[in-house]
Amino acid sequence: MNNQQAHGADPESAKGEVLDALVVGGGVSGIYALYRLNEQGHSVRLVERGSGLGGTWFWNRYPGARFDSDSYSYGYFFSEILAEEWQWSEHYAGQPEIERYFNFVVDRFELRDKVQLDTTVVSARFDSNNNVWVVGYADGQEVVTRFLVLATGMLSEPYIPAFDGMDDFQGVMVHSGEWPAEGIDFAGKRVAIFGTGSSGVQLVPEVARDAASLTVFQRSGHWVTPLNNRPFTPEEQEEYRKNFREVHQKRLGHIGGFIHEPEPRLTFEVSEEERLRKYDEVYNSGGLRILSSNFADTLADPAANQEFSKYVAEKISASIEDPDLAERLIPNDHGFGMHRPPKGTSYYETYNSDHVQLASLKESPVVRFTKTGVVTTEDEFEFDVIIFATGFEAWLGALKKIDIRGMDDEALMEAWSDGPRTLLGMGVPGFPNLTFVAGVHSVGGNLPAFSEVHADWASDLITYVKRHGYSRVEVTKEAAREWTEHVYETVKPVLLAKGSWYQRGNIPGSDGKILTYYGGLGTWREWASQVADSGYKGMEFQ
Ligand code: NA7
């Protein structure tokens, strides 16, 4: 029986093959979705615009790019083979190793022949007569699929600010998220970096090592704390192998899908001595424990937040020789964790070198770019290379690049003109047979952990549709309203910086609506199970 017969439909649009599912995006979430859908017997293909797999971990190959979540907790947990046959070399692995990991997964589970690289999806139209999606590629080809699975990523569409005269600059300009595979030689070059988020912070010491000069254009200071990277020893690997199942369960039980022990106590509930002990512990442990194992109110009570920010400010001051410079590097417009906190390796110490300087854009904004560099209100700079580590248009940027049309030819971005509306971040009213993995309003933490849970749910839904002889499933408006209200409710107690990309604050003129879900993995899983166990309440089938 072919797919067409299996669904009892005869799509006019389908001149040839009708897939059960087309996965768009070959990053963390897309690769697992491909695995899961294939494993459940669905006919599936994955398309990816890049010439390699890994998504974020394919494109962000700038020097210094690495995890800030523990390597062994970041990957997949769907098979023990992963623990048996893959060995991480460091606690926070670097980009080349991460890219190798995703390719290892695809090859080890024999998925390569289902992957189509160098394929950019530009349109997707729901054909409501035949209940299929007709998906268009940039080269003009079309494919027909019963389900469209969008795994287009969280941070996949680079954001570059518009400065006057940018086109005049005759040197190299590059975004951290579109780094050339052949790399960039900085030896003897005058280099500028715009942006001091996670990417800029990882780039600064690496670029400074080789460049003749480095100027860092900082708009806001960020709370950079030590990554404390170190080798992942064979003994640790053995321990991890033995505890693979427990680590998996621990991730599923953690609000953000991490393995860090939460700290239930509140900041001012303990003595000052105990508070300092805890601060030292999370500060020195490296990675994201600094937030997820910190006092429970660090990101909820302004006084608690101020207390920890003061602690980190002292650490920053101690790393920088020039007190005025330290003053300029310490954030003064948001508390610790209100932006995603960058993790660094000798970040502040790099500014102690004579060939590295900080140019504060708040004190002296850019007037324009020139043929040879950048003019600010106070200075004129000459550069050979300008790097934009200026972030991404989170989630929506990648979706906007595809003309997605649901029922009555409605565009997804029109349907979301007042902010995303989804059930569980998985389905949208008016857009049948469309699902996301690690999409907007569905995730907040360790992305591979969420990806596995989302793709399992999506694949089960597709199995359910097929098993019951349906050809279409659509989220109701009421179900999407309820979930969306819940998403907005859960973010209310969280202290967030206005400019945070979690709420589109980094995109000029945006509405500032929250894009991620703060209710935690446990609540998401509970809600998702209730939907599935009730025969998909809140979803309509045909
Ligand atoms: P981020 O964290 O969004 O950081 C972007 C940086 O670029 C940040 O310092 C911004 O300053 C700066 N920026 C943005 N727009 C401008 C303009 N117009 N002028 C000057 N500077 C600007 O992106 P990353 O790539 O570093 O990290 C993204 C995520 O990857 C991170 O959260 C981790 O999850 C991994 P601002 O702070 O807004 O003043």
Coordinates of all heavy atoms in Angstrom, one line a residue, residues 283-316:
Y283 N 29.1 30.0 41.4 CA 30.0 30.8 40.6 C 31.2 29.9 40.1 O 31.5 30.0 38.9 CB 30.6 32.0 41.4 CG 31.4 32.9 40.6 CD1 30.9 34.0 39.8 CD2 32.8 32.8 40.6 CE1 31.7 34.8 39.1 CE2 33.6 33.6 39.8 CZ 33.0 34.6 39.1 OH 33.8 35.5 38.3
N284 N 31.7 29.1 41.0 CA 32.9 28.3 40.6 C 32.5 27.0 39.9 O 33.4 26.4 39.3 CB 33.7 27.9 41.9 CG 34.3 29.2 42.5 OD1 34.7 30.1 41.7 ND2 34.3 29.3 43.8
S285 N 31.2 26.6 39.9 CA 30.9 25.3 39.3 C 30.9 25.4 37.8 O 31.0 24.4 37.1 CB 29.5 24.8 39.8 OG 28.5 25.7 39.4
G286 N 30.8 26.6 37.2 CA 30.8 26.8 35.8 C 29.5 26.6 35.2 O 28.5 26.1 35.8
G287 N 29.4 26.9 33.9 CA 28.2 26.6 33.1 C 27.0 27.3 33.7 O 27.1 28.4 34.3
L288 N 25.8 26.7 33.4 CA 24.6 27.5 33.7 C 24.0 27.2 35.1 O 23.0 27.7 35.5 CB 23.5 27.1 32.7 CG 23.8 27.6 31.3 CD1 22.8 27.0 30.2 CD2 23.7 29.2 31.2
R289 N 24.8 26.4 35.9 CA 24.4 26.2 37.3 C 24.3 27.5 38.0 O 23.5 27.6 39.0 CB 25.4 25.3 38.0 CG 25.2 23.9 37.8 CD 26.3 23.0 38.5 NE 26.2 21.6 38.1 CZ 26.6 21.2 36.9 NH1 27.2 22.0 36.1 NH2 26.4 19.9 36.6
I290 N 25.0 28.5 37.6 CA 25.0 29.8 38.2 C 23.6 30.4 38.3 O 23.3 31.1 39.3 CB 26.0 30.8 37.5 CG1 26.3 32.0 38.4 CG2 25.4 31.2 36.1 CD1 27.6 32.5 38.2
L291 N 22.7 29.9 37.4 CA 21.4 30.4 37.5 C 20.4 29.3 38.0 O 19.7 29.5 38.9 CB 20.9 30.9 36.1 CG 19.8 31.9 36.1 CD1 20.1 33.0 37.0 CD2 19.6 32.4 34.6
S292 N 20.6 28.1 37.4 CA 19.6 27.0 37.7 C 19.8 26.4 39.1 O 18.9 25.7 39.6 CB 19.5 26.0 36.6 OG 20.8 25.4 36.4
S293 N 21.0 26.5 39.7 CA 21.2 26.0 41.0 C 21.4 27.1 42.0 O 21.8 26.9 43.2 CB 22.5 25.1 41.1 OG 22.3 24.0 40.3
N294 N 21.1 28.3 41.6 CA 21.2 29.4 42.6 C 19.9 29.5 43.4 O 18.9 28.7 43.2 CB 21.3 30.7 41.7 CG 22.2 31.8 42.5 OD1 22.1 31.8 43.7 ND2 22.9 32.5 41.7
F295 N 19.8 30.4 44.4 CA 18.6 30.5 45.2 C 17.4 30.7 44.3 O 17.5 31.4 43.3 CB 18.8 31.7 46.2 CG 19.8 31.5 47.2 CD1 21.0 32.2 47.2 CD2 19.6 30.6 48.3 CE1 22.0 31.9 48.2 CE2 20.5 30.3 49.3 CZ 21.7 31.0 49.2
A296 N 16.3 30.1 44.8 CA 15.1 30.0 43.9 C 14.5 31.3 43.5 O 13.8 31.4 42.5 CB 14.1 29.1 44.6
D297 N 14.8 32.4 44.3 CA 14.2 33.7 44.0 C 15.2 34.6 43.2 O 14.9 35.8 43.1 CB 13.8 34.4 45.3 CG 14.9 34.5 46.3 OD1 16.0 33.9 46.1 OD2 14.6 35.2 47.4
T298 N 16.3 34.1 42.8 CA 17.3 35.0 42.1 C 16.7 35.7 40.9 O 17.1 36.9 40.6 CB 18.5 34.2 41.7 OG1 19.0 33.4 42.8 CG2 19.7 35.0 41.2
L299 N 15.8 35.1 40.2 CA 15.2 35.7 39.1 C 13.7 36.1 39.3 O 13.0 36.3 38.3 CB 15.3 34.8 37.8 CG 15.6 35.4 36.5 CD1 16.7 36.5 36.6 CD2 16.0 34.4 35.5
A300 N 13.4 36.2 40.6 CA 12.0 36.6 40.9 C 11.9 37.7 41.8 O 11.0 38.6 41.7 CB 11.3 35.3 41.4
D301 N 12.8 37.8 42.8 CA 12.8 38.9 43.8 C 13.9 39.9 43.5 O 15.0 39.6 43.5 CB 13.0 38.2 45.2 CG 13.1 39.3 46.3 OD1 12.8 40.5 46.0 OD2 13.6 39.0 47.4
P302 N 13.5 41.2 43.2 CA 14.5 42.2 42.8 C 15.6 42.3 43.8 O 16.7 42.5 43.5 CB 13.6 43.5 42.7 CG 12.2 43.0 42.4 CD 12.1 41.7 43.1
A303 N 15.3 42.2 45.1 CA 16.3 42.4 46.2 C 17.3 41.2 46.1 O 18.5 41.4 46.2 CB 15.7 42.5 47.5
A304 N 16.8 40.0 45.9 CA 17.6 38.8 45.8 C 18.5 39.0 44.5 O 19.7 38.7 44.6 CB 16.8 37.6 45.7
N305 N 17.9 39.4 43.5 CA 18.7 39.6 42.3 C 19.8 40.6 42.4 O 20.9 40.4 42.0 CB 17.7 40.0 41.1 CG 18.4 40.0 39.8 OD1 19.0 41.0 39.4 ND2 18.4 38.9 39.1
Q306 N 19.5 41.7 43.1 CA 20.5 42.7 43.4 C 21.6 42.2 44.2 O 22.8 42.5 43.9 CB 19.8 43.9 44.1 CG 20.5 45.2 43.8 CD 19.7 46.3 44.5 OE1 18.7 46.1 45.2 NE2 20.2 47.5 44.3
E307 N 21.3 41.4 45.2 CA 22.3 40.8 46.0 C 23.3 40.0 45.2 O 24.5 40.1 45.4 CB 21.6 39.9 47.1 CG 22.5 39.4 48.2 CD 22.9 40.5 49.2 OE1 22.4 41.7 49.1 OE2 23.8 40.2 50.1
F308 N 22.8 39.1 44.4 CA 23.7 38.3 43.6 C 24.5 39.1 42.5 O 25.7 38.9 42.3 CB 23.0 37.1 42.9 CG 24.0 36.1 42.3 CD1 24.9 35.5 43.0 CD2 23.9 35.9 40.9 CE1 25.8 34.6 42.5 CE2 24.9 35.1 40.3 CZ 25.8 34.4 41.1
S309 N 23.8 40.1 42.0 CA 24.4 41.0 41.0 C 25.6 41.7 41.6 O 26.7 41.8 41.0 CB 23.5 42.0 40.4 OG 22.4 41.4 39.8
K310 N 25.4 42.1 42.9 CA 26.5 42.8 43.6 C 27.7 41.9 43.8 O 28.9 42.3 43.5 CB 26.0 43.2 45.0 CG 26.7 44.4 45.6 CD 25.9 44.9 46.8 CE 26.1 43.9 47.9 NZ 25.3 44.0 49.1
Y311 N 27.4 40.6 44.1 CA 28.5 39.6 44.2 C 29.3 39.5 42.9 O 30.5 39.5 42.9 CB 27.9 38.3 44.6 CG 28.8 37.1 44.6 CD1 29.5 36.7 45.7 CD2 28.9 36.3 43.4 CE1 30.4 35.6 45.7 CE2 29.8 35.2 43.4 CZ 30.5 34.9 44.5 OH 31.3 33.8 44.5
V312 N 28.6 39.3 41.8 CA 29.2 39.1 40.5 C 30.0 40.4 40.1 O 31.1 40.3 39.6 CB 28.2 38.7 39.4 CG1 29.0 38.5 38.1 CG2 27.5 37.4 39.8
A313 N 29.4 41.6 40.4 CA 30.1 42.8 40.1 C 31.5 42.9 40.7 O 32.5 43.3 40.1 CB 29.3 44.0 40.5
E314 N 31.6 42.4 42.0 CA 32.9 42.4 42.7 C 33.9 41.5 42.0 O 35.0 41.8 41.9 CB 32.7 42.0 44.1 CG 32.1 43.2 45.0 CD 31.6 42.7 46.3 OE1 31.9 41.6 46.8 OE2 30.8 43.5 46.9
K315 N 33.4 40.4 41.5 CA 34.2 39.4 40.8 C 34.7 40.1 39.5 O 35.9 39.9 39.1 CB 33.5 38.1 40.4 CG 33.0 37.3 41.6 CD 34.2 36.5 42.1 CE 33.7 35.6 43.2 NZ 34.8 35.0 44.0
I316 N 33.9 40.8 38.8 CA 34.3 41.4 37.5 C 35.4 42.5 37.8 O 36.4 42.5 37.2 CB 33.1 42.1 36.8 CG1 32.0 41.0 36.5 CG2 33.5 42.8 35.6 CD1 30.7 41.5 35.9

